[in-house]
Amino acid sequence: MDKICVIGLGYIGLPTASMFATNGYRVLGVDINETVVRTINKGNIHIEEPGLKTIVQAAINSGKLKASLKPEEADVFIIATPTPFKENKKPDLSCVEAATHAITPLLQKGNLIIHESTSPPGTTTGLITGILKEKGFDLENDLYLAHCPERVLPGKVLKELIENDRIVGGINRASAEKAAKLYRSFVTGEIYFTDATTAEMAKLAENIYRDVNIALVNELALICSKIGINVWEVVELANKHPRVHLHNPGPGVGGHCISVDPWFIISAFPGQAKLTKLARKTNDNMPAHILLKVKDLLKKISVPKIAVLGVTYKGNIDDTRESPAVEIIDSLNDHFSLSIYDPHVKHFKYELSGFEETFSDADLILVLTAHNEFRYIDPDGVGKLMRNKAIFDTRNCMSRDKWENAGFKTFLLGCGGYN
Ligand code: SAJ
């Protein structure tokens, strides 16, 4: 079992392919994007993820990893393609479907197929198994098939790939064991066995839990703001209880996982998934709340300009998919003059400004993403460039004392101080 073909070289596929390649396997990474394939074959990367470039370079230089537009025969096929949702919020499984079709002509008796993409329960035993059966494969005797959901956190992918516990959901015990043996080549966490559909549901439950938890604190933020107390302090104190783990409020929930995956359940089980849906709506309402607050803060200023800090869906990454910052900027753009700064992003739908230009003549700094760099901004320095000295932090990542000492009016999400 020494050659692995990984379909999809994105945020999950590329780190996974590199990890196997640096742990003794020959790996062919496959992607439909020519630029991605060319970039990787040169030992470069097309996404930002700490440590990823080093491991990709090592894998390419050793000759163990190659990228290609086409899959080849292998012992193991790993499907790590995106599973976004459609306009109607139903899951779009077309990439998983296409990947399964692409590998079927290459499959040989004894091959292992691992489906890693987050999917609605039943995708492995329904969609994937269906395609394989249609092509004449006998799933009990010809192939091994398992769903092993990825669970890594963007920004910490390499560490979590190694250290996180893994769920291995086989279509039978033999498939689960074969998949587990493969992951044990680099996973130091526990590996738990189950069936494929339970594994799919467990992965969705993890992200739904996080979405519901964040919705709860976002709701508390609105309430604390009305009372005039600090929600961040409330969360910190409540979390001193040994069985409480409230997450953090923020301007909304973005990314391609938590803001998407709950819809896989809501769209299939609208009658049951009521809490899940309410959480989605609560989090989706946060950008509108931020817009209202910004309007209120700037209501007395003529032709106000806002310096927006951060456009990615969370700090220290370059990913803007489903970012609440995008929605906030879209709506701010209808009312205000904006300059936007994000040191992690190269291409964005609006023009990005240089550092000093961002603050020049601005009336308010609006912090939408907690990039580490922002913590080190010198308030005295940027204050001199601004027309009015005010900052609204939606992430609680700026030191209020530091900015107040520099003469700034400071506003924090979920703290009152505005109407
Ligand atoms: N967020 C908050 N408050 C918090 C935590 C996050 O508002 O306390 C926001 C973030 O700013 C961001 C969004 O939620 O906009 C999602 O960020 P995240 O860090 O919670 O999660 P993702 O989407 O980057 O990664 C999640 C992870 N899932 C869980 O932690 C349960 C990761 O482990 C999964 O592998 C990943 O989804 C995935 O691929 O499904």
Side-chain angles (χ1 to χ4, degrees):
M1 198 160 82
D2 67 350
K3 182 164 177 193
I4 304 176
C5 186
V6 178
I7 316 289
L9 292 175
Y11 287 86
I12 301 303
L14 182 57
T16 303
S18 317
M19 201 58 92
F20 280 118
T22 49
N23 280 278
Y25 291 93
R26 283 182 298 133
V27 181
L28 182 77
V30 179
D31 204 282
I32 49 169
N33 185 320
E34 259 182 67
T35 318
V36 167
V37 168
R38 216 176 311 121
T39 307
I40 293 167
N41 279 331
K42 283 186 194 148
N44 290 322
I45 54 173
H46 58 293
I47 45 181
E48 185 183 311
E49 179 59 44
L52 183 60
K53 188 165 176 177
T54 311
I55 185 172
V56 169
Q57 248 165 13
I60 292 286
N61 290 343
S62 69
K64 293 274 191 184
L65 174 66
K66 284 197 177 68
S68 165
L69 290 166
K70 286 212 165 101
E72 289 173 7
E73 285 183 358
D75 303 291
V76 181
F77 292 87
I78 298 180
I79 300 175
T81 49
T83 46
F85 54 23
K86 302 180 201 160
E87 289 263 302
N88 61 5
K89 308 276 192 200
K90 291 203 182 292
D92 177 356
L93 299 175
S94 57
C95 294
V96 173
E97 203 175 336
T100 312
H101 279 294
I103 63 171
T104 41
L106 305 165
L107 291 173
Q108 293 165 338
K109 198 171 164 73
N111 279 175
L112 166 66
I113 304 167
I114 297 179
H115 169 224
E116 281 211 12
S117 312
T118 308
S119 301
T123 303
T124 307
T125 54
L127 178 74
I128 297 179
T129 303
I131 295 171
L132 296 171
K133 278 187 182 159
E134 223 173 74
K135 299 285 173 191
F137 290 101
D138 169 359
L139 269 296
E140 277 309 311
N141 295 304
D142 294 344
L143 299 169
Y144 299 92
L145 173 62
H147 178 59
C148 306
E150 62 80 14
R151 310 164 95 191
V152 289
L153 193 71
K156 289 191 185 160
V157 166
L158 296 180
K159 184 174 185 289
E160 293 209 350
L161 260 184
I162 296 168
E163 292 175 10
N164 283 7
D165 293 347
R166 228 69 221 192
I167 301 170
V168 170
I171 57 160
N172 47 37
R173 181 74 190 188
S175 295
E177 275 171 8
K178 214 163 163 80
K181 189 168 173 225
L182 185 76
Y183 286 110
R184 281 204 187 99
S185 62
F186 66 82
V187 171
T188 59
E190 290 290 326
I191 297 186
Y192 296 99
F193 287 28
T194 184
D195 61 273
T197 306
T198 304
E200 286 161 344
M201 191 63 187
K203 163 70 200 204
L204 292 176
E206 292 163 13
N207 280 355
I208 290 171
Y209 158 78
R210 201 154 164 86
D211 201 35
V212 171
N213 194 324
I214 297 167
L216 173 61
V217 282
N218 278 336
E219 185 171 290
L220 291 176
L222 305 190
I223 295 166
C224 288
S225 185
K226 286 210 177 290
I227 305 172
I229 57 174
N230 183 335
V231 71
W232 304 88
E233 191 185 348
V234 170
V235 168
E236 193 185 332
L237 292 173
N239 282 346
K240 301 287 182 206
H241 187 288
R243 285 177 296 284
V244 174
H245 177 43
L246 290 172
H247 292 1
N248 291 317
V253 168
H256 42 104
C257 306
I258 295 189
S259 65
V260 173
D261 299 351
W263 288 107
F264 294 0
I265 293 298
I266 301 167
S267 63
F269 304 98
Q272 290 74 31
K274 291 185 177 148
L275 179 61
T276 309
K277 186 170 181 181
L278 185 59
R280 267 299 59 244
K281 289 206 175 284
T282 304
N283 290 331
D284 277 351
N285 274 336
M286 291 309 287
H289 171 76
I290 303 295
L291 176 69
L292 276 180
K293 297 304 163 197
V294 170
K295 278 186 172 170
D296 184 56
L297 291 176
L298 293 171
K299 65 181 179 233
K300 294 200 177 119
I301 296 172
S302 76
V303 204
K305 179 185 166 190
I306 305 172
V308 178
L309 300 190
V311 299
T312 57
Y313 82 86
K314 64 178 186 178
N316 308 315
I317 57 165
D318 65 349
D319 194 341
T320 59
R321 284 178 292 176
E322 314 293 331
S323 172
V326 177
E327 193 181 333
I328 293 168
I329 292 167
D330 279 342
S331 48
L332 288 175
N333 198 39
D334 294 336
H335 307 274
F336 304 103
S337 158
L338 303 179
S339 51
I340 308 166
Y341 178 68
D342 194 312
H344 291 259
V345 174
K346 288 191 191 78
H347 306 288
F348 187 54
K349 67 186 281 195
Y350 297 96
E351 194 185 332
L352 294 172
S353 300
F355 183 76
E356 293 207 342
E357 184 196 347
T358 303
F359 300 97
S360 167
D361 290 327
D363 299 288
L364 176 74
I365 299 172
L366 175 64
V367 183
L368 295 179
T369 306
H371 290 317
N372 283 344
E373 293 89 335
F374 297 162
R375 296 174 215 270
Y376 303 108
I377 293 176
D378 168 27
D380 288 311
V382 299
K384 286 189 188 115
L385 303 168
M386 294 176 66
R387 187 166 71 159
N388 283 295
K389 293 208 264 184
I391 180 166
F392 179 19
D393 180 1
T394 66
R395 296 285 189 174
N396 195 22
C397 63
M398 311 296 260
S399 155
R400 278 189 106 169
D401 286 350
K402 191 168 101 174
W403 288 82
E404 278 172 8
N405 288 340
F408 273 77
K409 277 191 191 157
T410 65
F411 304 94
L412 183 58
L413 173 72
C415 276
Y418 46 67
N419 292 319

